[in-house]
Amino acid sequence: MLNRRGLIGASLAGPAIIGAGAAIAADEAGGIQLTKPCVISTWDFGVPANQAAWAILSKGGRALDAVEAGARIPEQDLKNHSVGRAGYPDRDGHVSLDASIMDEQGNCGAVAALEHIAHPISVARAVMEKTPHVLLVGPGALQFAQEQGFPREELLTPESRAAWEAWRKEAKYAPKANSEIGDYGKTSGQLGTPGGKGNHDTIGMLALDAHGNLSGACTTSGMAWKLRGRVGDSPIVGAGLYVDNEVGAATSTGVGEEVIRNVGSFLVVELMRQGRSPRDACKEAVARILKKKPWAKDVQVGFLALSKTGEVGAWSIQKGFSYALCDATRQDRLVAGESFY
Ligand code: ASP
């Protein structure tokens, strides 16, 4: 377990902040205070994503535009195998993407099990802005995207195909009923079976703009090697993402089934509404998952939250969850999230 005391040393006045590439610890007293405008996002690839968002926020731009621009960075990163193009495929070799976006007025849009479109976050925004609907899935989402002018492309890169073929050789994947731990936690290798500790990483991004408005975006290729048609938490509004401009915003990463069961991001925001700090709200949401399914301690779920006043908090089941921060004084920061295990 990360020794947070060791990392922050003798300084109890606030969080220690150091550069990208090294993780820091959150303030023991309960989270990190950013100044407006600001943007935060999950995992280390949130650092360059935040930079793209910051280019918009720092000029007085809208949080919605910032989170869309930021989320597109890992979507187009060929080295990123958990978001967008080059994402690892499902069990049958199809790259299948999930994304959602939500603005300060409570408008939202999402796509699930979308294939052949490199920027699902932008399709999610088009669903929000150009249809009366919230969620489009599978072939219908693809049809809509193409009608909107998004190019149809092959998203499975040679590298991702090779990883999938290597997994198939070793795989003993036989999904069990979801009342059992199934294959979730029984991963031995770095990627292992769907939902294993090394088999995750979604970008969830939350921004507060100079006008005091919040928006969020969440985009992923989901669990590698998932069953065809499986949809995770990321495109489910309230699970993988939720924004309430009166209170704050939250997003999640990790095994989406556990997040959906607990409507995780909505829960975090509602706990904040009741007065919890973002950190305590995230901690409680993770605790709920563990209370209902104690075996979930063997998988990873992380929540990240941003309050209306710029306070940041996070919590995860397992150590290793990190998140990136960016405001006028803290650019390119990566923070080690706190966890139960
Ligand atoms: N939450 C995503 C899903 O379940 C994956 C992840 O963040 O690891 O599809």
Side-chain angles (χ1 to χ4, degrees):
M1 178 106 181
L2 191 66
N3 181 342
R4 292 181 299 113
R5 287 272 176 210
L7 277 174
I8 64 174
S11 169
L12 294 176
I17 304 291
I18 56 178
I24 65 162
D27 181 9
E28 183 80 30
I32 295 170
Q33 183 64 51
L34 298 181
T35 56
K36 178 180 86 174
C38 56
V39 59
I40 64 175
S41 50
T42 53
W43 302 111
D44 53 354
F45 47 76
V47 172
N50 283 357
Q51 286 170 357
W54 182 252
I56 292 169
L57 292 172
S58 59
K59 293 190 186 77
R62 191 177 170 201
L64 182 72
D65 294 327
V67 294
E68 182 191 4
R72 287 173 63 97
I73 299 300
E75 282 185 343
Q76 68 201 24
D77 181 356
L78 294 180
K79 293 197 183 71
N80 187 320
H81 298 298
S82 56
V83 180
R85 186 194 296 279
Y88 284 146
D90 64 18
R91 187 191 63 175
D92 302 342
H94 306 275
V95 179
S96 158
L97 306 175
D98 295 341
S100 63
I101 196 161
M102 195 160 183
D103 76 6
E104 76 281 359
Q105 294 163 45
N107 299 311
C108 47
V111 287
L114 174 64
E115 297 178 16
H116 300 298
I117 302 291
H119 286 297
I121 198 64
S122 297
V123 185
R125 182 168 179 174
V127 171
M128 176 174 86
E129 293 181 336
K130 297 182 177 166
T131 80
H133 309 306
V134 166
L135 174 61
L136 294 181
V137 306
L142 174 59
Q143 181 186 329
F144 170 74
Q146 289 183 276
E147 284 167 8
Q148 292 295 315
F150 291 89
R152 181 187 166 118
E153 299 177 71
E154 177 55 73
L155 303 182
L156 186 65
T157 59
E159 206 185 343
S160 296
R161 174 183 284 279
W164 170 63
E165 283 171 352
W167 172 76
R168 278 206 304 173
K169 274 187 204 136
E170 301 295 322
K172 298 184 189 73
Y173 177 33
K176 298 177 186 171
N178 70 8
S179 56
E180 301 172 61
I181 186 167
D183 286 317
Y184 275 0
K186 296 181 179 170
T187 178
S188 48
Q190 186 50 27
L191 282 167
T193 47
K197 285 180 201 169
N199 180 352
H200 58 75
D201 286 4
T202 291
I203 187 155
M205 175 172 260
L206 310 171
L208 178 63
D209 65 27
H211 312 286
N213 287 324
L214 288 161
S215 290
C218 188
T219 177
T220 188
S221 52
M223 276 178 193
W225 334 134
K226 61 196 174 188
L227 284 182
R228 184 151 168 75
R230 179 266 187 187
V231 171
D233 56 325
S234 306
I236 307 298
V237 172
L241 178 70
Y242 197 69
V243 176
D244 185 322
N245 209 39
E246 288 182 356
V247 178
T251 189
S252 63
T253 182
V255 174
E257 283 75 1
E258 300 318 313
V259 178
I260 293 171
R261 286 189 179 107
N262 292 276
V263 200
S265 292
F266 182 74
L267 174 61
V268 170
V269 171
E270 285 306 298
L271 289 165
M272 286 161 63
R273 189 193 305 282
Q274 291 164 22
R276 306 271 188 122
S277 69
R279 173 182 179 265
D280 287 352
C282 291
K283 186 177 181 182
E284 171 64 19
V286 174
R288 287 277 177 104
I289 290 173
L290 292 169
K291 192 175 170 198
K292 283 188 195 160
K293 307 270 184 206
W295 51 253
K297 68 177 179 25
D298 291 328
V299 303
Q300 179 63 303
V301 171
F303 289 105
L304 177 64
L306 176 65
S307 79
K308 179 80 176 164
T309 57
E311 192 182 346
V312 178
W315 203 274
S316 61
I317 297 177
Q318 305 279 339
K319 67 183 174 184
F321 175 45
S322 61
Y323 55 98
L325 308 174
C326 181
D327 70 359
T329 55
R330 301 172 187 82
Q331 302 262 309
D332 302 345
R333 304 305 193 213
L334 190 64
V335 178
E338 297 171 277
S339 62
F340 283 117
Y341 295 98

